[in-house]
Amino acid sequence: MDTILSPLYYAVSWIIVQFHSFYSLIFDENSGAAWGLSIVSLVVLIRVCLIPLFVKQIKSTRNMQALQPKMKAIQERYKSDKQRQSEEMMKLYKETGTNPLSSCLPILAQSPFFISLYQVLSHIANNQTVGVINQSLLESAQKAHIFGAPLAAKFLDTPEKLEALGATVTNVRVVTVIMIVLMSASQFYTQRQLMTKNVDLTVKTPFMQQQKMLMYVFPVMFAVFGIGFPGFPVGVLLYWLTTNVWTMGQQMFVIRRNPTPGSKAFDERQQRLRAKGKITEDPAEVEAKKVAEEARQNRQQPKRQTKAKRQTQPTTGAKPAGAGNEQQRRTRAGSGSSASGASDGDASKKQSLEKQAPQDSKPKGGSSASGSRNAKSGQRKGQQRPKHPSKK
């Protein structure tokens, strides 16, 4: 490993020494400020050089998000044929010009510098010269402390080793824990910002689940590696904390200026542009939205009533539906009964007059007797009970 990365050791150590020479004009050359700012400047220089790769990473991430529905359809269609599934995936990537590895390019490009810085600081902790760092620079770097912790000290270093570097176990462990917590928190916030603001929430894809998982996995990995095996020196923790803060700020800038369409950040950007008058909408569309909003605000929902209130409705005021019809039916029924009563009265009067007429003008003798007998026989016949059908 040392043989392969030896050129990078020289490059990283040379950059640090040049920045140290500059900051030594302002601070003490053996101070933690001079060496710490040299490491921070190394991070800034590397990240500035990686901006084109970062832009490519953003484009690749967006393309991957847009392709997730199609990728899922291919997986469902060819789930029994893995070879055909891979061929269709590669064909889709080729047609859309998407490279899945582009999202990892900044991390892959930065990894050699990270490993080189780790090895340089490890050589300093073991009192070994490395790259362009000679013995005098080595002694100066060993004297540099950040809040009482040497740049080359680790969380699990023995008290004897830390004493040789001019530090105590308490100072080193407190500083390393604080830096690891800040490093993990910045990584978590960066990933959460990407998930909550710069993702199209209208499309649920497996990519979102993967990003959500990484949001929790990466901080835990940094915490474990920083404290346990292999254990990051304070200088490496400073390097990684600086690059996390840079990534967070860079991502905030990109999300604000160029968000993913359909995301929360995109809607916020559209609102800012409308407020500034940089986006003009169709007047008809604006009027339709205004009318819809007013109708929504003016719409009143009926108040809910309990069952007891519904059963005890007041009788005064408006009559319930059907009450008028019921009253009309009752009126018609009353009038009909009165009319029928009147007609029955007229009929009875007529019958009584007819009965009285024969009595007043009846002839003397047998005719009256026969007439009375016929009337009695008619009355008896009319009062006879009908015979049963079986007796006919």
Side-chain angles (χ1 to χ4, degrees):
M1 180 67 72
D2 290 346
T3 304
I4 297 174
L5 297 178
S6 180
L8 279 177
Y9 295 170
Y10 277 92
V12 170
S13 61
W14 183 82
I15 293 172
I16 291 177
V17 168
Q18 298 305 314
F19 280 119
H20 177 261
S21 300
F22 172 75
Y23 289 116
S24 296
L25 301 175
I26 306 172
F27 307 100
D28 183 10
E29 63 178 1
N30 299 328
S31 64
W35 285 99
L37 289 174
S38 300
I39 295 175
V40 172
S41 300
L42 171 67
V43 175
V44 173
L45 178 63
I46 293 174
R47 295 308 302 266
V48 168
C49 295
L50 293 178
I51 286 178
L53 293 180
F54 181 75
V55 174
K56 194 170 184 178
Q57 177 193 19
I58 293 174
K59 293 181 179 179
S60 176
T61 303
R62 288 186 179 180
N63 291 338
M64 290 295 294
Q65 291 178 359
L67 291 179
Q68 286 300 313
K70 296 182 179 179
M71 293 170 61
K72 189 175 181 180
I74 292 175
Q75 291 174 355
E76 292 292 333
R77 185 175 181 181
Y78 303 104
K79 58 183 178 181
S80 59
D81 190 351
K82 298 298 181 181
Q83 183 177 358
R84 181 65 183 278
Q85 185 181 117
S86 301
E87 293 176 356
E88 293 295 328
M89 287 287 188
M90 296 303 297
K91 183 179 179 181
L92 180 63
Y93 293 150
K94 187 176 181 180
E95 291 176 352
T96 56
T98 304
N99 185 4
L101 298 178
S102 297
S103 58
C104 303
L105 285 178
I107 297 177
L108 295 176
Q110 194 177 353
S111 297
F113 295 95
F114 175 78
I115 297 173
S116 300
L117 178 63
Y118 177 85
Q119 292 295 329
V120 168
L121 294 174
S122 296
H123 280 74
I124 293 174
N126 296 325
N127 200 19
Q128 297 175 355
T129 58
V130 58
V132 298
I133 297 178
N134 52 28
Q135 190 63 35
S136 61
L137 291 172
L138 179 62
E139 294 176 358
S140 176
Q142 288 180 343
K143 295 177 182 178
H145 291 64
I146 297 178
F147 301 109
L151 291 176
K154 300 179 184 178
F155 181 85
L156 296 178
D157 282 347
T158 61
E160 293 79 11
K161 187 175 183 179
L162 295 177
E163 186 177 357
L165 295 173
T168 62
V169 176
T170 303
N171 286 343
V172 170
R173 292 188 176 179
V174 168
V175 171
T176 52
V177 167
I178 291 175
M179 296 184 72
I180 289 171
V181 169
L182 293 176
M183 182 178 66
S184 301
S186 59
Q187 178 69 32
F188 177 81
Y189 181 80
T190 301
Q191 194 68 23
R192 180 177 175 80
Q193 181 181 230
L194 178 65
M195 287 295 301
T196 56
K197 288 190 174 183
N198 204 37
V199 174
D200 187 0
L201 300 177
T202 59
V203 181
K204 303 295 183 181
T205 60
F207 179 78
M208 296 177 62
Q209 298 297 329
Q210 296 173 4
Q211 294 295 321
K212 188 175 181 179
M213 181 181 65
L214 294 177
M215 181 173 64
Y216 295 98
V217 170
F218 276 165
V220 174
M221 289 176 58
F222 284 129
V224 172
F225 292 156
I227 294 177
F229 180 82
F232 295 152
V234 174
V236 174
L237 294 177
L238 179 63
Y239 173 92
W240 204 250
L241 176 61
T242 305
T243 192
N244 281 356
V245 172
W246 176 280
T247 302
M248 182 172 62
Q250 191 177 40
Q251 184 172 272
M252 289 175 65
F253 177 80
V254 172
I255 289 176
R256 182 177 177 84
R257 299 294 299 273
N258 192 16
T260 302
S263 63
K264 181 179 179 181
F266 182 80
D267 296 337
E268 293 176 354
R269 181 175 178 271
Q270 295 297 102
Q271 292 178 2
R272 290 195 302 269
L273 293 178
R274 290 192 190 98
K276 294 179 181 179
K278 295 183 179 180
I279 294 181
T280 57
E281 297 181 346
D282 187 8
E285 184 177 354
V286 174
E287 186 66 23
K289 290 181 179 180
K290 185 177 180 180
V291 171
E293 182 65 20
E294 291 179 354
R296 186 185 66 81
Q297 293 179 356
N298 295 332
R299 186 173 65 242
Q300 295 181 355
Q301 295 292 340
K303 296 182 179 179
R304 294 189 61 184
Q305 294 181 348
T306 62
K307 186 176 181 181
K309 289 183 178 181
R310 291 196 298 270
Q311 291 178 350
T312 58
Q313 289 288 342
T315 55
T316 60
K319 294 182 179 180
N325 296 334
E326 182 67 22
Q327 186 66 24
Q328 291 177 2
R329 286 196 298 270
R330 291 179 180 178
T331 305
R332 287 197 298 267
S335 61
S337 61
S338 61
S340 60
S343 59
D344 292 341
D346 294 341
S348 60
K349 290 180 180 179
K350 186 175 181 180
Q351 289 178 1
S352 61
L353 292 174
E354 288 177 354
K355 289 179 181 180
Q356 292 176 359
Q359 291 178 1
D360 296 338
S361 60
K362 62 182 178 179
K364 297 178 180 180
S367 60
S368 59
S370 64
S372 61
R373 284 196 299 269
N374 290 336
K376 290 181 180 178
S377 63
Q379 290 177 359
R380 286 196 299 270
K381 287 182 180 180
Q383 292 176 356
Q384 289 180 356
R385 290 167 55 184
K387 293 183 179 180
H388 197 273
S390 59
K391 295 181 181 180
K392 289 183 179 179

